[in-house]
Amino acid sequence: MKPGRSHRVDLRGLDSHVLTWGDADAPKLVLLHGWMDVAASFQFLVDAFARAWYVIAPDLRGYGRTAWQPQGYWYADYIADLEALLDAFAPDEKVLLAGHSLGGNVVLHYAGVRPARVRKLVSLDGFGIRAEESEQAPDKLAKWLDAIAAPQGFATYASFDAVADRLQKNNPRLPRDKALFLAGHWAAALPDGRVRLLSDPRHKLPFPTVYRIEETYAVWRNIVAPTLWIAAAESNIPKWLDEHPEGEGATDSFAGIRRRFAHIPHGRLVTIADAGHMLHHDQPAAVAAAMESFLIE
């Protein structure tokens, strides 16, 4: 494996953990992980890169070895944290940004609100979330209030092997050696010998606000950087978005993705075969090849 280096960085007053790979003089590539994940999740993708990069990947707030936020987690904070990260590692530079899932959505938003700071952009299976109606607002806020009044934690595990079992259950394509590697970064040992996830349980709180897809489209239409959307052929995301065609005769399960992609001004959509949502784990070589072909052209 390519060796990574850990950094402690103050990002907007939050003690944050950032992993880097490669020489700082190489072209910079910033990677943002997804929900319930950590920066080390990109190790297999980094190993598959053919050219030299200076890869910069933070543990997002409340994940991994970055500090928790007692007031909870708000999407706009991830965008502001990304700007602080760029100010620390790439001031006065146009950057290459990529992200998976939640991280993909964050980099898309950042590129739309700070178009002058982004040179090229890659989203790995990150295409926004379900569109919602304004009528859902009272119920969503009520559910959020109920959840913060009765906070829940994460169950602990007997061992890192048990964490690896969980990861393989979530993703049957994940080999055992990779599952054990991820378990060592995804969790930490407790004094009693059990293992806990390195994630703030507040991430389980429901969203208190309605997601208005029209606002996301407005941001995406402001992107000027060339943009690559990489979709996994067997991802659950198209179905989860609840926009793909239903019923007998439906053949294009990515129809909803394509409708959303139409709002990206300078975009390209590619699909990785034999991969689920964790495509950078399932097919790291194919994902790395697609990314590098786009980033260096």
Side-chain angles (χ1 to χ4, degrees):
M1 290 184 174
K2 295 176 182 176
R5 181 184 175 193
S6 290
H7 308 257
R8 303 304 311 183
V9 182
D10 184 304
L11 297 180
R12 304 175 55 232
L14 196 71
D15 181 36
S16 301
H17 175 245
V18 179
L19 271 178
T20 62
W21 292 266
D23 192 315
D25 292 329
K28 295 181 178 70
L29 173 59
V30 176
L31 302 180
L32 296 191
H33 67 76
W35 186 77
M36 289 301 297
D37 209 347
V38 292
S41 180
F42 289 116
Q43 179 70 56
F44 317 129
L45 179 65
V46 171
D47 289 339
F49 283 142
R51 70 165 296 168
W53 301 98
Y54 183 51
V55 176
I56 303 161
D59 287 340
L60 300 180
R61 55 175 52 212
Y63 290 113
R65 289 170 173 80
T66 289
W68 292 8
Q69 175 60 43
Q71 285 74 38
Y73 299 91
W74 305 94
Y75 183 73
D77 278 319
Y78 297 122
I79 298 168
D81 290 348
L82 173 56
E83 179 151 277
L85 179 78
L86 299 184
D87 289 343
F89 283 88
D92 305 317
E93 293 183 45
K94 295 187 73 171
V95 294
L96 302 174
L97 292 181
H100 170 248
S101 193
L102 167 64
N105 290 317
V106 172
V107 298
L108 286 167
H109 265 78
Y110 187 77
V113 299
R114 294 285 197 236
R117 292 202 70 175
V118 182
R119 184 151 58 95
K120 287 190 176 182
L121 180 65
V122 180
S123 181
L124 305 175
D125 229 44
F127 316 112
I129 63 174
R130 288 189 184 110
E132 296 176 322
E133 300 297 331
S134 298
E135 289 73 18
Q136 296 175 258
D139 187 52
K140 287 181 70 72
L141 188 54
K143 287 181 177 178
W144 177 74
L145 287 172
D146 292 342
I148 62 175
Q152 299 181 17
F154 290 123
T156 60
Y157 292 80
S159 64
F160 286 102
D161 278 327
V163 176
D165 291 342
R166 157 79 181 277
L167 289 167
Q168 288 188 291
K169 182 179 180 180
N170 291 348
N171 182 8
R173 291 183 177 86
L174 188 65
R176 188 64 180 179
D177 60 336
K178 289 184 177 180
L180 287 169
F181 170 85
L182 291 171
H185 292 273
W186 209 51
L190 293 168
D192 63 1
R194 292 187 66 81
V195 174
R196 72 169 179 88
L197 298 184
L198 287 172
S199 177
D200 188 342
R202 296 178 187 89
H203 289 296
K204 295 173 64 176
L205 290 172
F207 294 129
T209 56
V210 170
Y211 178 71
R212 296 178 173 85
I213 189 63
E214 294 80 9
E215 294 179 11
T216 295
Y217 289 159
V219 173
W220 288 356
R221 287 193 291 267
N222 205 42
I223 296 172
V224 298
T227 303
L228 178 66
W229 275 18
I230 303 182
E234 298 177 36
S235 172
N236 60 338
I237 295 300
K239 182 178 180 180
W240 179 78
L241 290 176
D242 200 28
E243 288 187 5
H244 67 294
E246 300 284 354
E248 186 176 353
T251 59
D252 184 4
S253 63
F254 282 83
I257 299 297
R258 298 180 205 283
R259 285 194 295 271
R260 292 187 171 207
F261 186 65
H263 296 274
I264 303 292
H266 311 287
R268 183 185 310 171
L269 175 63
V270 301
T271 303
I272 302 296
D274 192 25
H277 181 56
M278 303 302 286
L279 66 172
H280 54 307
H281 295 170
D282 298 345
Q283 299 293 342
V287 174
M291 288 180 63
E292 291 189 302
S293 175
F294 169 75
L295 292 173
I296 66 177
E297 67 182 13

